[in-house]
Amino acid sequence: KRRVPPRVIDGFSIINSFTMLSLLRVLFFALFITSVLAGTTQEGLDWLAAKGKEEGVVTRPSGLLYKELRAGTGKTPKVDSPTKCHYEGRLMDGTVFDSSYKRGHPATFRPNQVIKGWTEAMQMMQEGGKWELYLPSELAYGDRGAGKDIPPGAVLIFTLEMLEVLGDAAE
């Protein structure tokens, strides 16, 4: 049988290991700083905390808050089911940045084609339901914002009305 000699650690291997550990530390530090700086503004966090205490507002583990304005009685969409909805999006100060109501016709999209907060809410709603959603930025557009109307870290408020599930229903 052939014997494999024990591995000898030379100075080069030690330097490479030290360099790799240093790079990993820098990477973890950068991720930590990004996570601390990222997210909903303090004003938004305060607003959401107050909203979560209001009667009828439900807080989900994800951070989604919602209030059911009208219960639905129809189908609930699967994540990839086209769904016809009316909606209006607002900032905390009441500024409307998008509205299918104002355009005069509903929009159709799948739950997996929209922001995280909508994806979660749509899969809990039923046809005919109307909810008000309160989304921390992590469930919306995060630190990048969206265009000129939605600033980074913004809490978004949506009225979402599920008119019809055009695809398969969830079981």
Side-chain angles (χ1 to χ4, degrees), residues 86-151:
H86 257 311
Y87 67 93
E88 179 177 85
R90 302 181 307 282
L91 301 176
M92 289 186 321
D93 68 4
T95 303
V96 175
F97 58 83
D98 192 12
S99 176
S100 66
Y101 294 106
K102 284 186 179 179
R103 285 192 299 276
H105 56 86
T108 299
F109 37 72
R110 294 168 168 81
N112 63 4
Q113 294 178 314
V114 292
I115 57 178
K116 291 178 187 178
W118 274 42
T119 300
E120 182 177 351
M122 289 178 72
Q123 291 177 90
M124 296 186 299
M125 293 179 73
Q126 292 179 288
E127 288 174 326
K130 186 174 185 178
W131 289 14
E132 190 162 72
L133 310 178
Y134 314 104
L135 306 181
S137 69
E138 295 84 356
L139 298 180
Y141 296 101
D143 279 344
R144 69 183 185 278
K148 62 180 177 46
D149 297 327
I150 301 173

Side-chain angles (χ1 to χ4, degrees), residues 11 21 36 41 71 94 106 135 154:
L21 285 172
V36 168
T41 64
L135 306 181

